């Protein structure tokens, strides 16, 4: 299978995007109300709003179906003059895993960060997400940080 094409999410992608995001949330054993999908989609479709979104489109034989999505956010930091880019969500459909779509989506975020002169791109994942971590170990550097959040 040839590599997927990565492009910004477009208005006509709403239903496929929602299906992929639901699958992503299921992987992390969580659900969001339908209203949150509407809010997030509205933000994704608003220029200069965060988050931003990219999708991976199936190559030739896939009929242009979405096979992956990513959301990313630019933000300021007290540690640098430039903005940072947080890759918040990344998901590739089970059928498309191992095709390079995940790497292509990450590289798409890297390109967007470079275009915005963001000083860093970073993300979090669960320690048990071994399949994704094998990819992440090839395209990024693991940090020693541990995440805490308010209960």
């Amino acid at each position: 299978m040839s590599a997927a094409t990565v492009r910004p999410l477009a208005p006509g992608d709403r239903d496929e995007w929602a299906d992929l995001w639901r699958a992503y949330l299921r992987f992390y054993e969580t659900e969001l109300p339908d209203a949150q999908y509407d809010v997030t989609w509205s933000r994704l479709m608003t220029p200069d709003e965060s988050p931003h979104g990219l999708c991976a489109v199936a190559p030739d034989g896939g009929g242009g179906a979405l096979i992956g999505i990513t959301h990313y956010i630019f933000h300021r930091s007290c540690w640098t003059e430039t903005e940072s880019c947080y890759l918040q969500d990344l998901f590739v459909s089970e059928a498309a895993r191992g095709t390079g779509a995940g790497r292509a989506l990450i590289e798409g975020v890297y390109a967007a960060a470079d275009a915005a002169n963001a000083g860093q791109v970073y993300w979090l994942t669960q320690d048990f997400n071994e399949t994704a971590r094998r990819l992440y170990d090839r395209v990024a550097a693991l940090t020693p940080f541990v995440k805490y959040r308010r209960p």
Side-chain angles (χ1 to χ4, degrees), residues 64-145:
L66 300 192
I67 58 173
I69 57 170
T70 188
H71 306 140
Y72 59 98
I73 298 168
F74 292 110
H75 67 87
R76 292 183 178 186
S77 169
C78 295
W79 290 38
T80 64
E81 271 187 54
T82 61
E83 288 194 324
S84 294
C85 179
Y86 174 51
L87 191 161
Q88 186 172 33
D89 305 311
L90 175 70
F91 183 78
V92 173
S93 69
E94 219 172 305
R97 292 186 188 150
T99 66
R103 176 186 285 266
L105 285 164
I106 292 169
E107 289 173 354
V109 173
Y110 284 173
D114 290 347
N117 295 313
Q120 73 166 331
V121 176
Y122 69 101
W123 61 92
L124 305 171
T125 194
Q126 297 282 351
D127 62 350
F128 63 77
N129 193 356
E130 295 169 1
T131 301
R133 290 185 67 192
R134 281 193 292 276
L135 168 62
Y136 302 161
D137 288 342
R138 291 192 303 271
V139 300
L142 178 64
T143 72
F145 283 89

